[in-house]
Amino acid sequence: MNINILNTTLGVCLVGLLALSACEEAAIPVGVDNTPITLDTISFPVVSAISYQSPPEMGKTEYLYFGKQDGFDFQYNLIKFDSTSVTANTPFSYFNDSLVVVDSLRLSLRFDKDSIASDVKFQLRYFPSGGDSVFNELESNYLNFNQAIASEIISTAQMEADSIDTNKTEVYLNFTLDSSIVNAFRDTSVLEYNRSFLVELANESSESFYFHSTDIQAGIKPELTVFYRQFLSDTVVLDTTSRSYLAVADISIISPPPISYEDSTTLSVSIAKGLKSIVFVDMGDWTLPSKSIVSSAQIIFNRVESDSIAQFKVISHPMTSDGDYERFASYTDDPYDEDLNYFTSTILIDNVLKINHRKVATEIGHKNFTNLGFKLQSSFSNDPFTTVKFYGINNTDSYPVMRVIYVLP
């Protein structure tokens, strides 16, 4: 080994050491003064683990869902529109001008397919007494939202095709509204009117229908268009024109099917079922040696299912309160808060999940953070109806474990 290699930076050396090391403990001389770097691995057992259920959090999915599917009941959807026009960058207060006369409005949702699947009818309500806030994308659900605060039906519609050119057709759900809605939205007695709507099926359907939501990455967001005329004087009027407002928040209110035995006896994560899991790693009174560096702190989980799966991400945080590991439970609200400073997102690879909590493990080892366990949940980027299950501590071959690799100078 020549002197140039010996003088490379410590970071580069560590990368090489980690790649080559297969031992739990190895002392490797790295300096001309014979000062070694010791690479250590320590394993901590997962001693408690359980899945639990809280209401589905459907406010960040790419679609708005209607109908029924695999035991899920898509009850209705809530949509809030921006107060500023995307076409002219003007607020709703623009329509307070006496020389501006609104003729009608159109609320449009883009269907996820380019052909009409059914003649099903939809209906629309709004919230004339809703104040400045009607729903919350991250908190509203089928248990805490009161549909009765919505108005009577203000419009009905069916899907219709819109031919863009000879080669492409798009399908929309278009609700036509009269000008009284604008009168409510521009109400000056309310500082920031909610501009929210409730969309639902007019009748129950055994089918399911998907529409683009405000969170779709490549699609068309819900849009509210105001058609109006502007008078230049008492006798001169411009042609009818329009301004469009895009959705800024939306959520599907759904009720999940009953939880299966497998959901409750494995470590399960799912958005639409509201399944999450918590694990406690027994790190005892472990102290990270002075001046050492944690290079990885992976909690390793093995997936129960053996079939292939599209890219699936699990997000994890350390918890800020003790967990109840006695038995599977369903809650009306998620009881476990997490420390967002230590967020990590991990992709499932070959049915193995390795969640690297290096940052918080360092803090735990330095006694700067109290280990109360870790929370696992499905990423919003996943298919919300996919449930992934991992083996818990009762499996003798595939139980979860935490392995911390650190380097001592």
Side-chain angles (χ1 to χ4, degrees):
M1 187 177 291
N2 62 48
I3 193 68
N4 290 332
I5 294 178
L6 294 176
N7 290 331
T8 54
T9 64
L10 177 60
V12 173
C13 289
L14 295 180
V15 170
L17 292 174
L18 294 177
L20 295 173
S21 175
C23 301
E24 292 233 344
E25 189 169 326
I28 304 174
V30 295
V32 292
D33 59 354
N34 293 322
T35 301
I37 283 182
T38 302
L39 183 68
D40 275 2
T41 297
I42 184 169
S43 294
F44 298 109
V46 174
V47 295
S48 300
I50 197 76
S51 62
Y52 69 97
Q53 184 186 38
S54 58
E57 299 172 358
M58 298 291 290
K60 292 296 181 180
T61 59
E62 288 199 323
Y63 295 97
L64 300 174
Y65 304 94
F66 296 85
K68 298 181 186 297
Q69 173 184 307
D70 299 330
F72 292 94
D73 182 8
F74 310 137
Q75 298 182 2
Y76 48 88
N77 287 265
L78 301 168
I79 308 171
K80 177 180 179 179
F81 289 92
D82 200 351
S83 62
T84 302
S85 168
V86 68
T87 49
N89 198 34
T90 53
F92 260 101
S93 59
Y94 172 81
F95 302 108
N96 282 328
D97 192 328
S98 61
L99 295 178
V100 176
V101 177
V102 174
D103 294 318
S104 63
L105 299 85
R106 182 183 67 209
L107 191 157
S108 299
L109 302 179
R110 171 71 163 92
F111 191 44
D112 75 318
K113 296 182 175 62
D114 292 327
S115 60
I116 299 175
S118 174
D119 60 356
V120 65
K121 184 180 291 186
F122 297 80
Q123 57 196 30
L124 185 70
R125 307 173 191 267
Y126 80 123
F127 300 90
S129 303
D132 62 354
S133 179
V134 172
F135 69 94
N136 185 301
E137 280 188 307
L138 298 179
E139 297 177 2
S140 297
N141 59 69
Y142 75 106
L143 294 178
N144 65 17
F145 187 84
N146 183 9
Q147 185 181 4
I149 67 173
S151 71
E152 297 297 318
I153 297 168
I154 59 173
S155 183
T156 60
Q158 293 174 281
M159 286 182 279
E160 55 188 68
D162 181 7
S163 297
I164 298 176
D165 53 45
T166 57
N167 297 318
K168 186 176 182 181
T169 299
E170 295 181 345
V171 176
Y172 288 87
L173 181 63
N174 293 321
F175 292 98
T176 300
L177 312 172
D178 64 40
S179 60
S180 64
I181 304 302
V182 166
N183 294 335
F185 285 2
R186 68 186 184 187
D187 185 355
T188 56
S189 67
V190 179
L191 182 63
E192 180 67 19
Y193 201 84
N194 64 78
R195 303 175 307 282
S196 297
F197 293 89
L198 185 153
V199 190
E200 61 192 339
L201 285 169
N203 301 104
E204 284 196 14
S205 174
S206 58
E207 299 178 77
S208 60
F209 308 92
Y210 294 13
F211 292 85
H212 294 184
S213 85
T214 188
D215 293 291
I216 195 163
Q217 297 301 307
I220 300 173
K221 297 181 179 182
E223 184 174 357
L224 182 67
T225 305
V226 180
F227 299 95
Y228 67 96
R229 290 166 292 147
Q230 183 172 15
F231 285 82
L232 299 181
S233 67
D234 291 341
T235 57
V236 179
V237 61
L238 299 177
D239 291 339
T240 297
T241 187
S242 65
R243 294 192 178 181
S244 295
Y245 301 81
L246 295 181
V248 292
D250 51 29
I251 185 172
S252 293
I253 302 296
I254 75 171
S255 58
I259 294 300
S260 70
Y261 176 78
E262 290 77 14
D263 291 336
S264 63
T265 55
T266 58
L267 302 180
S268 305
V269 292
S270 169
I271 295 175
K273 282 189 176 181
L275 290 170
K276 303 169 186 176
S277 293
I278 55 174
V279 299
F280 182 75
V281 180
D282 186 3
M283 303 178 76
D285 57 357
W286 173 67
T287 299
L288 187 63
S290 177
K291 297 182 181 181
S292 60
I293 300 171
V294 174
S295 60
S296 69
Q298 295 180 335
I299 311 177
I300 303 170
F301 300 88
N302 292 279
R303 183 175 173 232
V304 173
E305 303 91 342
S306 60
D307 59 318
S308 61
I309 186 174
Q311 187 180 81
F312 191 91
K313 290 182 180 179
V314 174
I315 61 177
S316 178
H317 305 80
M319 290 165 25
T320 58
S321 61
D322 289 320
D324 182 356
Y325 299 93
E326 181 131 357
R327 64 180 63 86
F328 178 89
S330 294
Y331 302 96
T332 56
D333 295 292
D334 191 332
Y336 301 118
D337 292 329
E338 60 267 10
D339 193 319
L340 302 180
N341 294 314
Y342 301 102
F343 164 89
T344 182
S345 176
T346 308
I347 298 175
L348 182 66
I349 299 177
D350 295 331
N351 289 326
V352 177
L353 182 71
K354 297 180 179 181
I355 302 176
N356 192 353
H357 274 297
R358 181 187 67 83
K359 184 178 177 182
V360 74
T362 300
E363 295 302 305
I364 292 172
H366 287 317
K367 306 304 181 184
N368 296 326
F369 191 93
T370 302
N371 172 29
L372 296 172
F374 299 89
K375 177 176 172 180
L376 284 65
Q377 53 194 315
S378 177
S379 167
F380 285 119
S381 64
N382 298 329
D383 177 354
F385 303 103
T386 296
T387 300
V388 170
K389 307 176 185 68
F390 300 98
Y391 288 109
I393 61 176
N394 294 326
N395 187 280
T396 56
D397 298 319
S398 302
Y399 54 86
V401 66
M402 185 179 202
R403 292 197 177 98
V404 178
I405 299 176
Y406 60 97
V407 177
L408 294 88

